Amino acid sequence: MPSNTDITPAQLSRLIGLPDAPAIIDVRDDEDYAADPRLLPCALKRDWDKTASWIEAWNPPQGTRAVVVCQKGLKLSEGVAALLRARGVVAEVLEGGFLAWREAGGLLLSPAKLPPRDARGSTLWVTRARPKIDRIACPWLVRRFVDATATFLYVAASEVPAVAERFNAAPFDIDGAFWSHRGERCTFDTMLEEFGLQSEALDRLATIVRGADTDRLDLAPQAAGLLAASLGLSRSHRDDLAQLEASMSLYDAFYRWCRDAVGETHDWPGHVRKG
């Protein structure tokens, strides 16, 4: 009989990328991590034998939900999950661990290009003020699949390089930056490629973002809708961070459509098709 503190790879995969996704904590030992240094999306890499100290620093709010991942879903994740539950965290163990997730084809993040984390464990990013498409789509992607606690700075375009250097932030969607357009592909595409995030849903969303961001609305019928909604949100918010927060649900909706609803249609119930 399955444990009531386990979660299967299939169950967890349905939560990845959603606004209420659990915190994922990777406690594989150094040897196992070195053998495959990829992570589940937004996973925090933590030492299992220093659990007491990092829990104290993390200080999760009561009721926080977490999934603990070790190599096979056995002693390390069981022990860390139990310690988390003792601190008020609703903690589950990924059944079968990292190996089962990988075998099931679960989405994996390549963290080699991840910007350095600050004292809180968060990455810091900077881009041009007054965002429209890419400069909202990329923060959504980072917060949902890379670093749930990432901080984004919007500054004058001329000051992005200097702010990046002085504040150790990663510049994005600006000429000459690593995280920027490449040929006909936009910054969202670059992030998917560099982080190794490949799924049918994200690929479909990338086409919509690319079409809206590069004035190629023919790439996907939904690109025009994303452009219109993005321009409307930009006009509705003077504060760029307020616009970002308001836009998160827009990208959540597009992602859920890309993942779960592309085959669904809608029509007026009384309409009778002819022919």
Side-chain angles (χ1 to χ4, degrees), residues 131-134 136 208-209 211-217 220-237 243 247 250-251 254:
K132 299 298 186 296
I133 309 292
D134 236 357
I136 296 291
I208 297 170
V209 171
D213 191 58
T214 62
D215 196 27
R216 287 182 291 163
L217 302 183
Q222 299 76 27
L226 177 59
L227 175 60
S230 300
L231 295 178
L233 283 163
S234 177
R235 295 295 182 91
S236 299
H237 296 277
Q243 181 189 340
S247 300
L250 173 66
Y251 281 89
F254 268 92

Side-chain angles (χ1 to χ4, degrees), residues 26 28 33 37-41 43 45 98 107-111:
D26 186 319
R28 285 177 291 164
Y33 180 69
R38 293 178 295 173
L39 297 166
L40 274 68
K45 184 70 181 74
F98 180 85
L107 197 61
L108 286 168
L109 168 74
S110 299

Side-chain angles (χ1 to χ4, degrees), residues 6-274:
D6 282 359
I7 184 170
T8 68
Q11 290 170 328
L12 180 57
S13 68
R14 298 296 297 172
L15 302 176
I16 294 293
L18 304 187
D20 56 351
I24 300 175
I25 302 171
D26 186 319
V27 295
R28 285 177 291 164
D29 63 28
D30 292 342
E31 183 178 352
D32 289 334
Y33 180 69
D36 190 341
R38 293 178 295 173
L39 297 166
L40 274 68
C42 282
L44 300 169
K45 184 70 181 74
R46 294 291 184 264
D47 295 326
W48 64 268
D49 55 347
K50 297 182 177 66
T51 301
S53 60
W54 61 252
I55 288 179
E56 198 68 33
W58 183 28
N59 192 28
Q62 194 77 12
T64 294
R65 184 181 181 188
V67 174
V68 184
V69 181
C70 67
Q71 186 76 340
K72 298 179 180 179
L74 299 175
K75 56 184 179 295
L76 297 186
S77 51
E78 285 283 354
V80 172
L83 284 167
L84 286 168
R85 289 194 293 272
R87 298 295 187 95
V89 177
V90 181
E92 299 167 292
V93 171
L94 179 61
E95 187 177 275
F98 180 85
L99 294 181
W101 178 265
R102 186 177 66 186
E103 185 176 350
L107 197 61
L108 286 168
L109 168 74
S110 299
K113 304 291 177 57
L114 196 66
R117 295 181 183 269
D118 63 18
R120 299 186 305 114
S122 302
T123 55
L124 183 62
W125 305 75
V126 61
T127 190
R128 296 169 289 137
R130 304 311 300 143
K132 299 298 186 296
I133 309 292
D134 236 357
R135 284 167 287 156
I136 296 291
C138 292
W140 173 85
L141 180 68
V142 170
R143 284 188 176 169
R144 294 291 187 254
F145 292 92
V146 180
D147 174 15
T149 63
T151 298
F152 294 91
L153 308 178
Y154 293 100
V155 303
S158 61
E159 300 307 310
V160 171
V163 170
E165 180 181 359
R166 295 293 181 91
F167 293 88
N168 199 27
F172 70 99
D173 201 48
I174 189 167
D175 287 344
F178 176 80
W179 302 104
S180 194
H181 287 228
R182 298 179 184 177
E184 294 187 346
R185 299 170 71 81
C186 63
T187 309
F188 191 89
D189 292 302
T190 298
M191 288 192 171
L192 288 178
E193 178 183 352
E194 294 295 341
F195 287 129
L197 294 170
Q198 296 180 338
S199 74
E200 187 175 351
L202 286 173
D203 289 346
R204 184 176 288 119
L205 180 57
T207 301
I208 297 170
V209 171
R210 190 183 319 127
D213 191 58
T214 62
D215 196 27
R216 287 182 291 163
L217 302 183
D218 58 304
L219 292 181
Q222 299 76 27
L226 177 59
L227 175 60
S230 300
L231 295 178
L233 283 163
S234 177
R235 295 295 182 91
S236 299
H237 296 277
R238 294 186 64 184
D239 183 279
D240 294 341
L241 293 178
Q243 181 189 340
L244 172 58
E245 294 307 316
S247 300
M248 292 294 285
S249 61
L250 173 66
Y251 281 89
D252 288 336
F254 268 92
Y255 175 68
R256 287 304 298 268
W257 179 84
C258 289
R259 196 187 78 173
D260 302 324
V262 291
E264 184 176 338
T265 60
H266 182 71
D267 201 353
W268 181 249
H271 179 71
V272 178
R273 295 181 182 274
K274 298 180 180 181

